[in-house]
Amino acid sequence: MAFSTLKPLGSHNLIRNGVFQIEVSSGPLNFRHGESRGAILFASLKHVSRSIVCRNELRDHEERSSANEVKKEIMRCYEIIQRLERGVVYLGSSRMNSDHPYFLQAVELGREVAILLDCTTWTGAGPGLMDAAAKGAMEAGKPVGGFKIRKEAGQWTSSNLHPYLPPETYFTCRFFSARKHGLVDAAVRNRESERTAVIVFPGGIGTLDEVFEMLTLIQLQRLGSEFPVPFVVINYDGFYSKLLGFLEDCEQWGTVSKGEVESLWKVCSNNLETLNYLAEFYGVPHETRPWHIV
């Protein structure tokens, strides 16, 4: 079968389609005789898209080479925390959307915890269970803040904008390190009167990355908090049971000390258990625990 090649023009290929003229920064484009101009144009646009992606990746790489760029983002995160104040940080899946049963449970817990601790709710400002916790806090009329990353797992497109949070309440990070700094600092307790916590919903690789990094900081006393911060893992329907079993196996292998992990976090099976634990942790009187659990 015969093929034709578009001839290069300088360092670019020139493709004409009616009145359109497109320059493609790539090698020659091959196409079969008889293909429509639309097909040729589509092929050329794919090359353009790849070229743009490469340029974006190159720019991001150049920015990562500068420590100052990372520092600027960390400072922006700290500024938002100072403005909205510290509170409860939620970690969880970006893929479990509003039709998932855990989404409604996360909305419920986000609402009740915000009321119980009367604090700001912090998330990764992404979709899924992060969105659920934020919506719950907003239902309670409490402040919400977040540190967004340009593209979450399961999303097809990148965006610097949050669909409904005011721009002054969140920051879109290019660097995961800056985002993590923000999420950690939002949970720090430097005054006994501060009520903060870290609450872990079901999640995947990104959630586990954040969970174990925070857990390590607590273990090594590097969280930067003057007072203890409750760290709660919610084991809905046994979601984390196999992970917990693995950590028990680690005790048998001697890679963690017996009882070490249990001393760092609290595993709760449902929202009611979580709320009661936080109420006990902060000494909230029984008469002021108006749970609205379905």
Side-chain angles (χ1 to χ4, degrees):
M1 182 177 290
F3 287 85
S4 293
T5 301
L6 294 172
K7 302 300 182 183
L9 179 64
S11 61
H12 294 70
N13 291 322
L14 192 64
I15 301 172
R16 290 187 176 87
N17 181 23
V19 297
F20 296 103
Q21 182 171 297
I22 300 173
E23 291 187 352
V24 182
S25 300
S26 61
L29 294 178
N30 296 320
F31 63 98
R32 295 178 180 87
H33 280 295
E35 281 189 323
S36 67
R37 290 181 177 179
I40 300 169
L41 179 61
F42 177 75
S44 71
L45 290 176
K46 288 174 66 178
H47 280 249
V48 172
S49 176
R50 284 197 293 269
S51 176
I52 292 171
V53 169
C54 289
R55 286 198 297 271
N56 286 340
E57 289 176 349
L58 178 62
R59 186 181 66 245
D60 286 346
H61 175 74
E62 290 172 347
E63 290 171 344
R64 282 196 297 273
S65 68
S66 170
N68 287 330
E69 292 297 320
V70 180
K71 180 180 178 181
K72 288 177 185 177
E73 290 203 356
I74 294 173
M75 295 307 297
R76 287 288 302 276
C77 292
Y78 287 173
E79 288 170 6
I80 294 177
I81 294 169
Q82 290 174 357
R83 186 163 61 249
L84 297 182
E85 298 186 348
R86 296 182 171 99
V88 178
V89 174
Y90 290 89
L91 310 176
S93 174
S94 64
R95 303 177 191 237
M96 294 179 174
N97 295 317
S98 57
D99 58 347
H100 196 285
Y102 294 165
F103 189 93
L104 293 179
Q105 294 184 66
V107 171
E108 179 184 74
L109 188 65
R111 181 185 67 240
E112 297 303 316
V113 169
I115 294 171
L116 171 68
L117 301 185
D118 189 25
C119 64
T120 302
T121 291
W122 292 96
T123 74
L129 300 186
M130 293 178 283
D131 183 46
K135 286 181 175 176
M138 293 176 72
E139 285 182 8
K142 303 300 181 181
V144 173
F147 307 107
K148 193 179 184 304
I149 202 70
R150 189 173 294 173
K151 186 176 182 180
E152 289 284 356
Q155 288 183 305
W156 288 103
T157 58
S158 301
S159 174
N160 292 335
L161 303 176
H162 192 278
Y164 59 82
L165 287 179
E168 67 273 11
T169 64
Y170 72 93
F171 177 67
T172 300
C173 302
R174 290 168 296 165
F175 309 107
F176 270 100
S177 55
R179 186 195 204 191
K180 288 180 177 180
H181 271 281
L183 290 171
V184 168
D185 191 71
V188 165
R189 289 180 67 209
N190 286 332
R191 299 191 307 273
E192 191 172 9
S193 59
E194 287 181 313
R195 292 180 174 181
T196 71
V198 177
I199 295 179
V200 182
F201 288 125
I205 294 172
T207 300
L208 293 176
D209 171 44
E210 294 163 344
V211 166
F212 281 102
E213 181 159 346
M214 285 195 180
L215 200 66
T216 302
L217 293 174
I218 294 173
Q219 177 195 41
L220 301 179
Q221 299 180 349
R222 301 292 295 173
L223 192 66
S225 181
E226 295 291 330
F227 296 91
V229 176
F231 194 107
V232 183
V233 175
I234 304 182
N235 194 27
Y236 290 145
D237 301 320
F239 182 90
Y240 283 117
S241 292
K242 290 185 178 181
L243 174 63
L244 298 172
F246 166 74
L247 293 173
E248 290 176 1
D249 290 343
C250 288
E251 292 184 358
Q252 303 301 318
W253 287 100
T255 54
V256 297
S257 301
K258 187 172 180 60
E260 181 178 10
V261 177
E262 288 87 343
S263 69
L264 300 176
W265 63 20
K266 171 69 174 177
V267 179
C268 296
S269 59
N270 54 55
N271 288 353
L272 183 60
E273 187 179 352
T274 302
L275 289 166
N276 284 327
Y277 169 72
L278 291 174
E280 291 295 326
F281 187 95
Y282 283 111
V284 178
H286 285 274
E287 59 272 16
T288 59
R289 303 181 187 181
W291 313 142
H292 296 89
I293 302 298
V294 177

